[in-house]
Every structure is written in C-alpha cells, then in structure tokens.
Amino acid sequence: MSTRHTPRRLHDTVELPDIQLPAPAVPRDELGLTGRALHGAGWLMGRVLRGLARGLALGVTATGRGVFGALRWLAVSVWRMVRGLWAVIAHVVGAMLGRKGGKAAGSPGAAGTTDASGSSAMPGAASGGSGSGWGPETNPHEEPGPSPQDTDQRASPYLSMPSSSTTSTPSRKTPQGPTRPRAPRSGWPLAVRLVLLVALLMGGDIARYAVWPPVATLGKQNPAVTSFMEYRQGQWARQGRGPSYRQAWVGLGNISRNLVLAVTIAEDDKFWQHEGFDLDGMEDAFLRNIEEGRIAAGGSTITQQLAKNLWFTPEKSLSRKAKEAIMAWRLERELSKKRILELYLNVVEWGDGVFGAEAAARHHFGKSAAALSSWEAARLAAVLPNPLRWSPTGTSRGVQVRASIIHSRMERRMGSD
C-alpha cells in the first residue's frame, strides 16, 4: 500500500515587510577636489591606524618571544612598505601613460570621421566605395556605372580587401557596469608614504642599539679605543697630525677620592641615586637652552656621557640623543655604578689628545691620579665641559670661579662625612 505525499501549497501572495533601502552613495568621480582629498586622507589614516594596531599587537607578542620576533616584525613591515610604495609608483606611472595615450588617440588631428562600418568617410567621397569624386559634369542623381577598378575587385577576392592605409583603428570601448573605485590621483599620498618609509628606516637604525653593540663584555674588559678617540684621530689626520694620544688605564681604587667626588659634583650630582637619567637636570638644561636661544646645556648624566664617548661622536642631533639614551639604559642594567664611573674616568677627554684621569694628572700636574689634591681635582673637574678650550692650570676666570664652587661643595660633603 503506497502513501502519496501531497506537497504543501504556498499562498499565491505573500505580504513582505517594507524595507527601506539606503540611499545610493555618491560615486567618487562625482566628488569635488575636497571630497577626493578627504577620502584619500581617510583611506590613508585607516591604513596607518591599522598598521599601528597590528604593530602594537605584534610588539606585545614579540616581548614574550624575544628580540628575534621584533626584528622579524620590523623586516616584514619594511617589506610591506616597500611593496606599497612600488604599487603607488606603478599606479601613478600607469595613469600618466594612460592619459597621454588617450589624448593621442582622441586628438582632433585625425583625418576624417569613422562610421559604424569602420571605414573612413571623407568629405566629398562616394559612399559606394569607388573612391572617385564627382566630376564637374556628373549628375549626382544618376547611378554611376561600374568602373574597371570595381570589375577587377569583383573578379578577385584579394583585390577587394581594404588596404591598410585606409583602415582606421577601432576606438577603445568604455567598460560598462560598475567599476572598481580608484585611489585619489593626487601626489601627496606618495609623499606621505616616502616620509613614513624614511621614518621607519630611521626608527630601525635607532632600535638596533637595543641589542647591539654588546655591553656585558665591558664588565670585565676595558675598551682599547673609543668612538670619541677615533673621531679625534680623524680630525688630526685632516690637520696633518699623527694619530697620537695619551691614555693610561687605572682602576677606580687607584684614582684619588678627591677626583671622584669633584667629578660627580660637577657633572652628575645625583649619580649614585638615579638609574641613568636625571629628569630634574634635563628640565633645568631645557629651560636654560630656551632662555639663551641655543644649546647651552645638555643635562646628560655620567652614564650618558660614557655612552657618547664609547660609541658616538660629539654631533648634536635628536637621533644621536635617542641612541645615547638606549645605550645609557643598557649600561645601567648590565654594569654596576662603580664600573660605570671607572670606565668614565678612564675614557673622558681632559685636553688635546689627553684621555683618562691618569694621563690628565700626569700631563697637567706631573703626578699620578691617586696623588691629586682637592683643589687640583676641582680644577680638573671644572674643565670637563670644554677640555679643548679650558686648561686646569690656566688663568681663565671662568675656570677659577667654577673650580671654587666645586671645591666649596667638596669641603661641605667631606665635613658632613
């Protein structure tokens, strides 16, 4: 016994709810110059925010994975930026070539107009294809008879083929239907991308100092030569002088306590308390520079000065200060305060070709660094801001005043101890 299934019939009419369709968006081609500029700015800002968010997420992830993850993210970001820059350049060049080609194809210099069949219709030419004009005695209402040329073309199909000289190139058809929106053709997005690329490269050059050069080796190994010494040697070579300098490495225990106290008072009074950066000193230096309208004070700590002497040159730039800050932070993390001070007192410049406390004591006072008196130490510390211009044994009024202030502070510290 078979059961027959009867399908359910639907109602003939189904009531649908009214749906309010959104108003169609204005095409980008109909926007004005301001609209296109705002659209391009919004597109670029979205890309930048998306990249920053993704970079932040990857940076947080890279913190757990180590330094190699961060370097890999940096390489991928540079590669993507280069690819995007190349795409923009290709788009701009293609648009320029397209506009030039369109003007050449649609120029009014073309001879005659093109009809629907693809043949050129010249003014005064016959539509029958004979190519001969009406003579002065020819009646236009009479049907012309076949010419010998037409007879030859009917006899041979090869002769009836149109010549290449009279065949016109068909015009390029305009694509129908919705087209893909194009990026704004203004030149500023390319400039912005170039600026971002340069900033990214500069950031990568600064960020590499977070891992290189190594710092931990300075805990037990004394540097043979510093970047500051090499800079001075280059200056001497340009002046025709020999690359000679005086330096004798001594331990912190073989340096007079007077000199240690004088240098810390003069250059970094909070050396034993801070972690590489003296924010109060930086603020005072910033206000002083604003008042004088020039860079009169740097506010650098002994740790920052050591980083500059070991790896950099005396140039004054924001990139150098950023690199110096990274290396100072690494020095404070991996070395002790005593080791940092010992390195500084052995590599700091104390005259023309004189580096280190031992060489300075013997060059200026004829004695070792361990035998320096409090007044001699104060005078040596007073010339540290400009050792090539000032001399600890000279008669400069500025050096004497500065040395007196340092010496009075030294006496108060020693008396309180």
Side-chain angles (χ1 to χ4, degrees):
M1 182 176 180
S2 61
T3 304
R4 187 174 181 180
H5 176 70
T6 304
R8 180 182 299 176
R9 294 183 179 179
L10 298 175
H11 294 286
D12 295 338
T13 59
V14 179
E15 295 182 359
L16 297 178
D18 294 335
I19 300 176
Q20 298 295 333
L21 297 178
V26 179
R28 184 186 301 181
D29 296 337
E30 298 181 5
L31 295 175
L33 180 60
T34 305
R36 291 197 299 270
L38 292 177
H39 181 83
W43 174 80
L44 184 62
M45 184 60 66
R47 290 286 183 176
V48 172
L49 293 178
R50 179 183 176 186
L52 291 177
R54 189 170 184 177
L56 180 61
L58 291 177
V60 173
T61 305
T63 304
R65 296 181 179 177
V67 178
F68 293 101
L71 294 178
R72 179 178 178 273
W73 167 78
L74 180 61
V76 172
S77 300
V78 172
W79 172 245
R80 289 179 177 176
M81 183 64 70
V82 171
R83 287 180 59 188
L85 179 61
W86 177 255
V88 171
I89 294 176
H91 174 75
V92 172
V93 173
M96 293 175 62
L97 294 178
R99 286 197 294 269
K100 291 181 179 180
K103 291 180 180 179
S107 60
T113 57
T114 305
D115 57 3
S117 61
S119 61
S120 298
M122 300 293 294
S127 60
S130 61
S132 61
W134 292 320
E137 299 178 356
T138 304
N139 188 0
H141 298 284
E142 295 179 1
E143 183 177 347
S147 63
Q149 184 179 0
D150 294 339
T151 306
D152 294 339
Q153 288 181 355
R154 295 192 191 99
S156 176
Y158 299 99
L159 297 177
S160 63
M161 297 176 62
S163 60
S164 59
S165 60
T166 60
T167 304
S168 61
T169 305
S171 59
R172 185 171 54 183
K173 296 182 178 180
T174 304
Q176 302 295 331
T179 58
R180 184 179 180 181
R182 296 181 180 179
R185 293 186 177 182
S186 58
W188 66 267
L190 177 60
V192 172
R193 287 176 180 267
L194 288 175
V195 171
L196 291 177
L197 179 60
V198 172
L200 184 61
L201 293 177
M202 293 180 62
D205 179 59
I206 295 174
R208 69 183 177 92
Y209 282 91
V211 294
W212 188 265
V215 174
T217 55
L218 294 175
K220 298 181 180 180
Q221 183 179 355
N222 299 327
V225 64
T226 65
S227 177
F228 207 96
M229 294 178 184
E230 293 177 348
Y231 174 79
R232 292 300 187 203
Q233 289 177 356
Q235 286 184 330
W236 299 335
R238 289 189 293 270
Q239 296 172 2
R241 297 171 51 185
S244 60
Y245 58 89
R246 291 180 292 274
Q247 183 193 29
W249 199 278
V250 292
L252 188 62
N254 295 326
I255 299 177
S256 172
R257 184 172 179 268
N258 295 322
L259 184 60
V260 173
L261 183 59
V263 169
T264 53
I265 289 175
E267 294 297 307
D268 190 0
D269 201 14
K270 299 179 181 179
F271 171 74
W272 302 103
Q273 288 80 30
H274 64 67
E275 297 182 356
F277 305 96
D278 185 6
L279 299 181
D280 295 334
M282 295 171 66
E283 182 180 358
D284 295 340
F286 178 74
L287 296 176
R288 180 182 173 186
N289 294 335
I290 292 179
E291 292 177 357
E292 299 189 11
R294 61 184 182 89
I295 302 178
S300 299
T301 62
I302 286 178
T303 310
Q304 291 176 278
Q305 295 183 41
L306 174 60
K308 180 185 70 174
N309 280 271
L310 289 176
W311 295 293
F312 306 107
T313 60
E315 67 167 347
K316 296 179 180 180
S317 63
L318 293 178
S319 61
R320 197 266 292 175
K321 294 295 291 184
K323 298 173 184 178
E324 177 186 299
I326 294 175
M327 297 308 300
W329 174 73
R330 293 181 61 194
L331 285 171
E332 289 284 341
R333 282 175 57 91
E334 302 188 28
L335 300 180
S336 64
K337 286 287 187 178
K338 290 184 178 181
R339 179 58 177 170
I340 291 174
L341 188 58
E342 179 182 341
L343 289 170
Y344 175 78
L345 292 175
N346 278 279
V347 301
V348 69
E349 188 177 30
W350 247 306
D352 189 13
V354 180
F355 293 91
E358 183 69 18
R362 295 190 178 278
H363 175 74
H364 294 293
F365 300 107
K367 59 178 67 174
S368 65
L372 289 172
S373 64
S374 60
W375 182 248
E376 293 170 342
R379 293 185 70 89
L380 280 175
V383 302
L384 280 176
N386 198 341
L388 297 182
R389 182 179 177 183
W390 298 337
S391 173
T393 57
T395 58
S396 173
R397 176 67 178 171
V399 173
Q400 292 179 0
V401 172
R402 183 177 171 84
S404 300
I405 295 174
I406 295 172
H407 189 262
S408 61
R409 292 181 181 178
M410 291 172 61
E411 290 181 340
R412 288 198 299 267
R413 298 282 177 88
M414 290 178 180
S416 62
D417 292 342

